[in-house]
Amino acid sequence: MRIAGAALNQVPIDWEHNLQNIRTAIEMAKESGVELLCLPELCLSGYGCEDLFLSDWMPQAALAHLQRVREWTQGICVVVGLPIRLDRRTYNTAAVLRDGQILGFVAKQFLANDGVHYETRFFTPWLAGETTTVSWEGETWPLGDLIFEHQGVRFGFEICEDAWRADDVRPACRLVGKVDLIVNPSASHFAMSKTDVRYQLVMKASRTFDCTYLYANLLGNEAGRIIYDGEILVARNGHLLRRNQLLSFKEVDLEWLDVDFTTKPEPAAEIVPLAVPDEYKELNQAMSLGLFDYLRKARTRGFVLSLSGGADSCFCAVGVAEMVRLGVEELGVEEFKRRSGCFPEAETVVQQEGAGGKATQVVQNETPSTEHRAPSTNQELVRQLLTCAYQGTVNSSDDTFNSAKELADSIGARFYHWGIDDEVNGYVGKIQGALERELTWKTDDLALQNIQARVRAPAIWLLANVQNCLLITTSNRSEASVGYCTMDGDTAGSISPIAGVDKDFVKKWLRWAETELGYAALRHVNALQPTAELRPLEEKQTDERDLMPYALLNRIERLAFYDRLSPRQVLAALDTEETGFDHEQLRTYVRRFYSLWSRNQWKRERYAPSFHLDDYNVDPRSWLRFPILSGGFAEELAGL
């Protein structure tokens, strides 16, 4: 039988968009002669619908929209994910449709409730062996722990998290000897190196449970923070039959193959490993796709970036350039422009904000200027999509200005620069007058640093608003952990793409991008020590002098919140490692980390939406929750 999986780039409750992708996948499958097609988990409604899953109307709407899919399934068997609500409980289900009919629904038995997942808030787990019925406008179908048959091939289900449980409890353990095929529609988030874990899981399941295993994942930045890699895997008795290229810019990515279910190969003695993942390349592809989807789904015209010339802002600028390069490489220039929605040739959109709401005025240009002609090269595309500004003070250096300007010029971005000393002096003067005293670096150090970062926000916000663009904020995960940022200053923005990446990795990635991707202008930032440039230049301020070495900060953070160790346990672990610091230095840094962490949760609560790119992050809305007010580990730190 010819079987297929399709990765779909969906949007929560965007019914027409989601149905169009489902229809496209089914039509592509039919054209390829596919007889059984698996679509991803909750692909009809979208996976990231959050508390809408708890409503009565949304699951009911999903079931109503499923009726439209029926007519497209003539001559093919299709698996479609959607929520079903019964007796005020919502279930995560996969519907099986064939020849215009719904055959039944299988419900997810194990719910993901760690890391970025909070499924137990929305869904009720299904009990093994249980069945019931679903009704809609006079029709009734079975729902529960079901097995189906298509053209003599019997198949059962695991839905995403079901497959991540122990072999003796997961649904597959009860399907051995009963089915030839296990189908797994998934919504498994991207994290660097995770694909290797998922690959091993599918391969071993196919061998352990003596079956063919078909896996299909969601694709793209679906709802804002989480990115899906669109992985499709087919394995049989421990042998890999098909695996696709991940993180595609397509709306629909389909893979099919023929499987002879009348014979079975010998189980693989060993699972052939994948090549070691290149995390720099993985992050580059994921961030590029995440930016592209965020841009088009937010329906804006591009990005604006306060380009300081430092590591974080340079990373973000290259990220947009790579979004263009990789997108054009896969889609071509015209399809990239069409899909992005940012290139309405011969028209200018002016958005007016007023007390009565927003009105959009479209002005037709009879003869587009050179500035607005249709871009045809990557640099021209970047110029339309990215505007950068360097906002200097007396504490800014020529090094960072040259870093920012040369990088912007090299990738094609628009580049502006202006000084903000007058605005800073104006605010400082107002407060000095109010307090009737002078503000000095000796008595008011942090306040004088913060006002510089904060004064940069209004102008860059205005530039973004005027252009109807998303403002990128550049904070990284290490800064978020210790609050090394200015609220309403360098944290101001619509999207924070690298807030899930630690600063040590940012620095390494930039060196990789310079040598492997050919961004020669990064030589400037790669030669600099990271610095906020908020104190007088003669003080030679650096981030690591203010905080601690970034590699050590990252290690403490991971031990504390990924491994969930106490301060005493963190210090004991560091004492056994080759850190280059003695016990007293390590104790000082551990105390500093926990103290800064505790007092800065309110900042993490206010960060712009960030992408989940690593195996953990510190965003309280997607991975790590912590009280805004706490005892600050006082007893635990005293015990050191």
Side-chain angles (χ1 to χ4, degrees):
M1 188 164 69
R2 183 163 293 182
I3 65 175
L8 307 182
N9 193 318
Q10 306 295 75
V11 182
I13 63 167
D14 190 340
W15 303 110
E16 287 304 316
H17 171 89
N18 295 349
L19 285 166
Q20 180 58 53
N21 281 350
I22 289 170
R23 185 171 190 173
T24 298
I26 293 173
E27 290 174 350
M28 290 171 63
K30 285 183 174 181
E31 290 171 3
S32 300
V34 170
E35 294 155 287
L36 188 150
L37 169 65
C38 176
L39 303 179
E41 179 180 10
L42 295 172
C43 63
L44 182 52
S45 61
Y47 178 84
C49 294
E50 303 287 345
D51 280 3
L52 287 176
F53 286 124
L54 300 175
S55 69
D56 290 326
W57 70 266
M58 196 279 277
Q60 188 69 12
L63 184 58
H65 283 100
L66 183 68
Q67 310 310 312
R68 293 178 57 185
V69 181
R70 294 173 63 169
E71 61 190 85
W72 307 330
T73 63
Q74 294 295 334
I76 189 172
C77 184
V78 181
V79 174
V80 181
L82 75 159
I84 293 291
R85 191 160 173 83
L86 300 172
D87 300 323
R88 302 186 64 80
R89 294 177 178 178
T90 307
Y91 300 96
N92 182 337
T93 79
V96 179
L97 297 85
R98 181 179 63 199
D99 295 330
Q101 300 299 318
I102 298 173
L103 304 185
F105 301 81
V106 172
K108 191 172 185 177
Q109 297 179 22
F110 293 96
L111 303 178
N113 196 43
D114 60 350
V116 302
H117 298 290
Y118 299 92
E119 288 187 346
T120 54
R121 178 177 176 87
F122 315 124
F123 303 111
T124 299
W126 194 260
L127 296 177
E130 295 291 319
T131 60
T132 188
T133 58
V134 176
S135 298
W136 186 84
E137 293 193 355
E139 293 187 82
T140 300
W141 308 282
L143 179 150
D145 195 356
L146 305 174
I147 292 175
F148 299 85
E149 184 174 325
H150 182 56
Q151 297 188 1
V153 175
R154 292 172 63 80
F155 63 96
F157 281 86
E158 293 189 318
I159 300 177
C160 201
E161 181 70 13
D162 289 340
W164 294 75
R165 299 305 174 104
D167 287 346
D168 59 344
V169 298
R170 58 191 285 186
C173 73
R174 296 184 299 279
L175 296 174
V176 176
K178 300 177 183 178
V179 302
D180 310 290
L181 171 68
I182 294 178
V183 178
N184 188 327
S186 282
S188 179
H189 67 277
F190 168 84
M192 290 183 288
S193 295
K194 184 181 178 183
T195 181
D196 185 67
V197 178
R198 194 189 294 128
Y199 166 84
Q200 291 289 336
L201 184 149
V202 170
M203 296 295 290
K204 290 176 180 177
S206 71
R207 182 180 63 183
T208 301
F209 303 113
D210 189 28
C211 67
T212 299
Y213 203 104
L214 169 60
Y215 176 96
N217 197 18
L218 278 176
L219 173 63
N221 182 347
E222 185 213 38
R225 288 184 171 87
I226 307 303
I227 298 167
Y228 300 94
D229 57 22
E231 185 159 33
I232 299 169
L233 287 165
V234 184
R236 194 171 194 212
N237 286 41
H239 301 276
L240 177 65
L241 303 184
R242 186 60 51 89
R243 181 172 182 260
N244 65 333
Q245 292 295 314
L246 308 187
L247 296 162
S248 170
F249 280 72
K250 301 173 185 174
E251 292 277 25
V252 177
D253 188 17
L254 183 134
E255 293 282 345
W256 61 265
L257 76 162
D258 294 320
V259 177
D260 182 1
F261 288 98
T262 63
T263 62
K264 283 193 175 182
E266 290 296 319
E270 294 183 3
I271 304 297
V272 178
L274 290 176
V276 176
D278 183 337
E279 290 195 341
Y280 299 128
K281 185 177 180 180
E282 279 190 322
L283 182 136
N284 188 42
Q285 292 173 314
M287 189 169 72
S288 297
L289 179 57
L291 286 169
F292 182 69
D293 279 345
Y294 205 106
L295 173 71
R296 65 193 185 89
K297 293 178 182 181
R299 297 177 177 87
T300 60
R301 288 296 177 85
F303 300 102
V304 168
L305 172 66
S306 190
L307 184 59
S308 70
D312 300 325
S313 62
C314 287
F315 191 124
C316 293
V318 172
V320 176
E322 282 297 287
M323 176 196 77
V324 171
R325 182 183 71 85
L326 292 172
V328 169
E329 189 177 273
E330 181 174 4
L331 302 175
V333 170
E334 293 307 315
E335 180 64 7
F336 178 88
K337 287 159 57 178
R338 185 191 71 79
R339 288 274 307 287
S340 72
C342 297
F343 300 92
E345 295 178 18
E347 77 173 26
T348 302
V349 174
V350 179
Q351 192 171 68
Q352 299 172 326
E353 296 185 358
K358 294 184 179 180
T360 300
Q361 177 185 7
V362 180
V363 181
Q364 296 293 330
N365 297 327
E366 293 182 6
T367 307
S369 66
T370 303
E371 179 71 18
H372 293 94
R373 67 183 173 82
S376 59
T377 68
N378 286 3
Q379 279 207 336
E380 290 175 340
L381 290 168
V382 172
R383 182 170 179 78
Q384 292 289 329
L385 292 174
L386 179 61
T387 300
C388 301
Y390 181 90
Q391 305 184 81
T393 71
V394 292
N395 300 321
S396 302
S397 68
D398 291 341
D399 289 335
T400 53
F401 175 80
N402 292 334
S403 171
K405 187 176 191 311
E406 186 170 330
L407 178 61
D409 290 346
S410 70
I411 63 178
R414 297 177 188 176
F415 181 77
Y416 303 106
H417 63 94
W418 54 74
I420 60 168
D421 286 322
D422 289 345
E423 291 89 341
V424 171
N425 292 335
Y427 281 112
V428 170
K430 284 183 174 65
I431 301 306
Q432 288 181 151
L435 299 180
E436 298 182 344
R437 73 170 178 84
E438 183 182 5
L439 302 185
T440 71
W441 288 104
K442 183 177 181 179
T443 58
D444 310 288
D445 176 79
L446 284 178
L448 290 175
Q449 289 191 65
N450 283 332
I451 190 58
Q452 295 167 73
R454 200 165 280 128
V455 160
R456 291 185 170 109
I460 202 71
W461 263 125
L462 178 59
L463 183 60
N465 288 165
V466 165
Q467 298 186 160
N468 196 17
C469 289
L470 291 164
L471 177 59
I472 293 177
T473 180
T474 62
S475 289
N476 59 70
R477 191 177 79 210
S478 302
E479 292 175 348
S481 288
V482 293
Y484 194 66
C485 53
T486 301
M487 299 314 298
D488 307 312
D490 56 319
T491 58
S494 320
I495 181 174
S496 187
I498 66 168
V501 184
D502 70 87
K503 186 59 171 270
D504 189 55
F505 190 93
V506 167
K507 292 162 61 180
K508 292 174 180 175
W509 188 91
L510 287 169
R511 289 193 287 271
W512 173 82
E514 179 188 354
T515 58
E516 298 298 319
L517 298 180
Y519 289 92
L522 291 175
R523 69 184 186 277
H524 293 291
V525 70
N526 286 336
L528 297 173
Q529 282 291 318
T531 173
E533 287 196 329
L534 296 175
R535 287 197 182 102
L537 286 173
E538 60 268 20
E539 293 194 20
K540 298 181 179 179
Q541 180 184 23
T542 70
D543 294 359
E544 292 185 315
R545 188 177 300 159
D546 285 351
L547 300 169
M548 66 187 75
Y550 273 120
L552 181 61
L553 191 159
N554 184 49
R555 183 63 182 147
I556 296 173
E557 175 197 84
R558 187 173 186 89
L559 290 169
F561 295 113
Y562 184 82
D563 295 337
R564 306 188 191 283
L565 302 184
S566 70
R568 181 183 293 276
Q569 290 170 320
V570 170
L571 181 58
L574 292 175
D575 277 334
T576 68
E577 300 175 1
E578 295 294 329
T579 63
F581 299 98
D582 62 30
H583 178 80
E584 288 303 315
Q585 290 173 308
L586 291 173
R587 182 165 61 176
T588 298
Y589 287 139
V590 169
R591 281 177 168 162
R592 183 176 300 169
F593 174 87
Y594 276 98
S595 297
L596 291 171
W597 169 275
S598 301
R599 72 180 65 155
N600 285 295
Q601 180 64 23
W602 69 278
K603 291 186 177 182
R604 291 186 288 275
E605 298 281 351
R606 292 188 56 206
Y607 264 51
S610 62
F611 298 158
H612 180 84
L613 297 167
D614 205 346
D615 56 356
Y616 77 104
N617 67 60
V618 297
D619 185 344
R621 289 156 293 186
S622 66
W623 202 87
L624 180 56
R625 295 188 177 189
F626 187 84
I628 296 172
L629 303 177
S630 73
F633 300 95
E635 181 176 309
E636 289 80 8
L637 295 181
L640 295 183

